[in-house]
């Protein structure tokens, strides 16, 4: 018996189905495209992959409208390939990673960039910059057997029809097989985990009224409208 009614299970739509994918945790890979690492002032050739998290209920279906969040004057988009774990495990070998995936999608890691910059300067965690409400809009998840590849394919984002990010999954510093295997050494992965795999160069700010579109070839597309300030 709970002392109050627990919140609904966080979940995401499944492409072509009325079923839902239950979300357990959201892991995000930082600086996983060389050009983006450089535009953020970092050396991509020296850093092992690192991870941060968002709460499960930060995920929401697209198309959607996301209110401009509080505490920021510099809200940024980051388009990302999204992986959905269907089979858990620890110390997963690179060769076995794809067997642990239920599906794949495309999402936007919304970031309060000014808060992130302040956290970096002061050596503090990124939570307030990354883990706010509705910060992970994600397109319907495509079952992995219907996905042509999670290792190659165009990934792109546009704001109001103007292309801002345009790269290929093959540009990942740490491939899907590599970074999922590395993540599984630190945390036991479980069914329902979501992994956002990093963003290419071209990140930038959006304001209320802007419409973000993006996609990964062969996997899906999304649309996110930035709403009024909270």
């Amino acid at each position: 018996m709970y002392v109050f009614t627990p919140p609904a299970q966080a979940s995401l739509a499944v492409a072509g189905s009325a079923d839902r994918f239950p979300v357990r945790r959201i892991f995000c890979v930082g600086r996983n495209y060389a050009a983006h690492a450089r535009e953020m002032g970092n050396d991509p050739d020296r850093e092992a992959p690192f991870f941060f998290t968002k709460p499960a209920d930060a995920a929401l279906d697209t198309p959607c409208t996301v209110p401009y969040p509080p505490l920021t004057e510099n809200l940024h988009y980051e388009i990302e390939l999204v992986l959905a774990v269907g089979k858990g495990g620890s110390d997963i070998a690179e060769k076995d990673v794809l067997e642990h995936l239920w599906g794949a999608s495309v999402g936007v890691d919304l970031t309060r960039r000014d808060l992130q910059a302040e956290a970096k300067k002061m050596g503090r965690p990124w939570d307030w910059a990354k883990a706010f409400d509705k910060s992970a809009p994600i397109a319907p998840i495509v079952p992995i057997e219907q996905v042509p590849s999670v290792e190659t394919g165009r990934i792109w984002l546009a704001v109001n029809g103007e292309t801002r990010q345009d790269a290929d999954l093959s540009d990942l510093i740490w491939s899907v097989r590599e970074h999922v295997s590395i993540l599984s050494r630190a945390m036991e992965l479980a069914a329902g985990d979501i992994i956002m795999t990093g963003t290419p160069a071209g990140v930038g700010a959006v304001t209320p009224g802007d419409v973000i579109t993006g996609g990964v070839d062969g996997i899906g597309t999304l649309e996110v409208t930035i709403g009024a300030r909270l």
Side-chain angles (χ1 to χ4, degrees), residues 126-147:
W126 291 6
D127 298 61
W128 259 215
K130 292 285 192 177
F132 55 93
D133 297 336
K134 300 182 179 179
S135 59
I138 295 173
I141 297 173
V142 178
I144 199 66
E145 59 271 14
Q146 299 175 24
V147 173

Side-chain angles (χ1 to χ4, degrees), residues 77-219:
Y77 55 79
E78 297 187 5
I79 194 73
E80 312 210 1
L81 169 71
V82 174
L83 307 174
V85 176
K87 176 185 174 184
S90 298
D91 297 313
I92 300 170
E94 289 181 19
K95 65 180 179 61
D96 298 329
V97 162
L98 298 188
E99 298 175 13
H100 288 258
L101 300 183
W102 189 91
S105 185
V106 59
V108 178
D109 169 15
L110 290 171
T111 302
R112 296 191 281 201
R113 190 71 74 198
D114 43 2
L115 298 190
Q116 185 187 37
E118 182 180 1
K120 288 179 179 179
K121 181 178 179 180
M122 301 184 72
R124 293 177 176 175
W126 291 6
D127 298 61
W128 259 215
K130 292 285 192 177
F132 55 93
D133 297 336
K134 300 182 179 179
S135 59
I138 295 173
I141 297 173
V142 178
I144 199 66
E145 59 271 14
Q146 299 175 24
V147 173
S149 175
V150 293
E151 298 177 303
T152 62
R154 181 185 180 227
I155 180 170
W156 61 276
L157 179 142
V159 178
N160 302 327
E162 179 184 344
T163 300
R164 301 285 184 84
Q165 294 182 276
D166 200 339
D168 195 277
L169 299 180
S170 61
D171 297 332
L172 285 165
I173 297 171
W174 297 90
S175 71
V176 164
R177 292 178 186 270
E178 290 171 329
H179 72 248
V180 174
S181 176
I182 291 168
L183 175 59
S184 75
R185 298 173 198 165
M187 301 280 283
E188 181 177 359
L189 298 181
D193 286 342
I194 293 290
I195 303 170
M196 302 185 75
T197 63
T199 195
V203 300
V206 284
T207 58
D210 285 343
V211 178
I212 299 168
T213 52
V216 175
D217 284 0
I219 295 178

